[in-house]
Amino acid sequence: MSEAVEFEIGPIRPPSEAGSYLLRLTRNCPWNRCRFCRTYKRHRFSLRPVEEIEAQIDEMARIRDRLRDEGESDGPRALVARGLVTTEAEWMVANALANGGRTAFLQDADSLVMKPENLKRVLVRFRERFPEVERITTYARSRTVARLPVEVLRTYGELGLTRIHIGMETGHDPLLELIKKGATAEIHIKAGRKVKEAGLELSEYIIPGLGGREMSEGHALDSARVLNAIDPDFIRLRTLTLGPKVDLWSEFHGPEARLTRQTDAEIVAEIRRFIEALDDIHSRLVSDHIMNLLGDLEGRLPDEKQALLDRCDAFLALDPGEQRLFQVARRAGLVNGLSDLEIPEVRARAEALLAEVVRSYGPDRIEEACRDMMLRFV
Ligand code: SF4
């Protein structure tokens, strides 16, 4: 790689972008105050100079061309073994190529905070160098999107931006305030509708369990109400995962606690209530994260709404022993959906694991054991 190119790759991307080219436009998060989020804590936000981003795009294209000539279909690991991939940048490009080389993700937390003329320049350069890429997506904050004219968003779409991922988290105003999201239900609706009006795809993220027992009903019903007003293309679930270093922890634990953590079964019941209240929309509900208990809770609304509810009911109808077995198996990454427990080897491993967890934590502390297991994925 040319030494003059400042190549940067940000820390995260959505699971659906695991095989995408990653292009960092800004560093960290301009808001950085959400109480459940530690991703960018202690890191200052900054914009990358456009010239630097353009140079990185050119460098990515050079790496792509070289790897194509040298047999990218072998996949990044084989290329490393052959000494053809030695840097993080080369690995990222090789990984994207191994996944088809047709998708890209713009990092970090809020790319649309860039000046429109600069983001347009970046999109133009990317399209020049990567005409084969069919999908370009990015994270954005509702507050940022709500301030942008629809015409600007439409221009981004014409220049290749296809999808925006927004962390709504909840549509319940008291909870949005408590978590310091910096957005209200009204702002979420305004932003979501603008994205749709501009003809871009929209993916909204919701955090089941975020409001504890006390706010569960408001969280479920208001989140559904806001999503019903937007009709996004995707609704993605990200079940609450809390460690002691997260600011929101003190709302659930210790002398200042105002909220009560929900059990896995209570969170499934909350999700059920949420799905039941989704009405007259055409979104795809997606459960593409290891933190979600029901990994196969996926389907398109409205046609598959009943199937989604049935999947929740299937877990809720299990006897407590079977629920515990599934919880432990899921938190250990052994299963995705309930049907996986019907595979004899999987079931045997899950039973052995449950016995071990009961020995270590005691029979009454399975929820706690599962939360500890979840933290390993954070
Ligand atoms: S806007 Fe996103 S990245 Fe920024 S603090 Fe909130 S959750 Fe974290």
Side-chain angles (χ1 to χ4, degrees):
M1 180 176 27
S2 142
E3 287 201 5
V5 178
E6 294 286 334
F7 210 109
E8 291 189 28
I9 299 176
I12 62 165
R13 42 88 191 135
S16 53
E17 304 293 340
S20 297
Y21 290 110
L22 302 177
L23 179 62
R24 192 177 209 188
L25 306 191
T26 66
R27 302 182 185 95
N28 312 310
C29 174
W31 173 249
N32 217 4
R33 281 179 242 178
C34 298
R35 295 183 64 201
F36 59 89
C37 172
R38 289 189 75 236
T39 309
Y40 303 104
K41 287 284 180 278
R42 281 185 272 124
H43 296 286
R44 284 240 319 272
F45 174 77
S46 63
L47 297 160
R48 289 187 75 196
V50 178
E51 297 71 26
E52 197 177 294
I53 302 168
E54 288 176 329
Q56 179 164 327
I57 293 170
D58 294 350
E59 181 63 21
M60 282 166 61
R62 271 194 291 276
I63 297 172
R64 174 206 55 200
D65 294 344
R66 178 173 66 76
L67 292 176
R68 270 185 183 162
D69 291 345
E70 291 167 347
E72 100 280 347
S73 59
D74 296 351
R77 282 196 176 76
L79 293 172
V80 170
R82 289 165 55 199
L84 296 172
V85 164
T86 56
T87 65
E88 192 188 9
E90 289 167 344
W91 173 277
M92 180 273 288
V93 174
N95 178 56
L97 284 171
N99 284 280
R102 296 276 191 259
T103 60
F105 180 70
L106 310 178
Q107 299 171 305
D108 282 337
D110 191 13
S111 305
L112 301 197
V113 83
M114 283 175 75
K115 280 190 180 156
E117 63 263 34
N118 288 345
L119 182 49
K120 286 180 207 167
R121 257 177 72 183
V122 167
L123 288 168
V124 166
R125 177 66 71 99
F126 192 83
R127 196 150 73 167
E128 275 170 16
R129 297 289 185 265
F130 289 84
E132 73 279 15
V133 166
E134 294 158 359
R135 190 185 82 201
I136 303 176
T137 76
T138 190
Y139 283 132
R141 295 187 61 232
S142 277
R143 207 182 174 109
T144 303
V145 175
R147 287 187 189 129
L148 287 171
V150 173
E151 297 68 43
V152 169
L153 292 168
R154 195 171 285 128
T155 307
Y156 292 157
E158 286 160 6
L159 295 175
L161 186 65
T162 38
R163 181 183 303 167
I164 295 183
H165 297 268
I166 291 183
M168 174 188 291
E169 333 302 5
T170 177
H172 190 44
D173 277 329
L175 186 51
L176 284 165
E177 201 180 319
L178 184 133
I179 63 171
K180 294 205 176 115
K181 188 65 204 173
T184 59
E186 196 185 328
I187 289 173
H188 279 319
I189 292 173
K190 189 172 174 192
R193 283 182 166 167
K194 276 190 174 178
V195 172
K196 295 298 299 170
E197 196 184 332
L200 298 171
E201 287 183 346
L202 175 63
S203 186
E204 297 272 11
Y205 291 76
I206 296 293
I207 306 182
L210 183 63
R213 274 184 200 149
E214 291 74 5
M215 292 199 190
S216 179
E217 184 176 344
H219 178 29
L221 299 184
D222 281 341
S223 297
R225 175 180 62 80
V226 171
L227 290 165
N228 289 343
I230 298 171
D231 194 5
D233 299 274
F234 301 92
I235 298 170
R236 292 190 143 93
L237 305 177
R238 293 282 178 277
T239 300
L240 180 69
T241 312
L242 268 189
K245 290 186 183 157
V246 177
D247 186 38
L248 195 65
W249 175 268
S250 62
E251 291 290 342
F252 288 90
H253 302 272
E256 310 289 308
R258 290 184 285 177
L259 301 174
T260 313
R261 293 288 290 271
Q262 291 161 280
T263 63
D264 270 339
E266 285 171 330
I267 291 176
V268 172
E270 177 182 291
I271 292 171
R272 191 197 189 286
R273 193 160 205 181
F274 163 69
I275 294 171
E276 200 169 24
L278 292 172
D279 188 30
D280 200 22
I281 57 174
H282 308 84
S283 318
R284 180 162 191 83
L285 187 95
V286 185
S287 178
D288 58 345
H289 204 283
I290 189 70
M291 299 308 173
N292 297 327
L293 183 71
L294 304 179
D296 60 352
L297 191 62
E298 297 216 8
R300 164 122 6 235
L301 297 161
D303 296 354
E304 294 174 289
K305 180 170 174 174
Q306 191 53 51
L308 291 166
L309 294 171
D310 290 347
R311 215 153 269 182
C312 296
D313 288 339
F315 174 79
L316 295 170
L318 294 176
D319 67 56
E322 199 66 11
Q323 282 189 350
R324 285 206 310 242
L325 185 66
F326 181 73
Q327 283 176 262
V328 168
R330 174 65 178 159
R331 297 317 180 193
L334 291 178
V335 296
N336 190 46
L338 286 182
S339 58
D340 294 334
L341 273 186
E342 290 163 18
I343 304 166
E345 311 85 73
V346 174
R347 191 174 180 88
R349 285 178 67 194
E351 284 171 347
L353 184 65
L354 178 59
E356 205 180 305
V357 169
V358 169
R359 260 197 307 280
S360 312
Y361 282 78
D364 301 328
R365 292 176 57 218
I366 302 299
E367 292 290 336
E368 198 180 326
C370 287
R371 281 180 201 146
D372 288 349
M373 292 162 90
M374 282 168 84
L375 286 177
R376 286 184 327 197
F377 293 109
V378 178

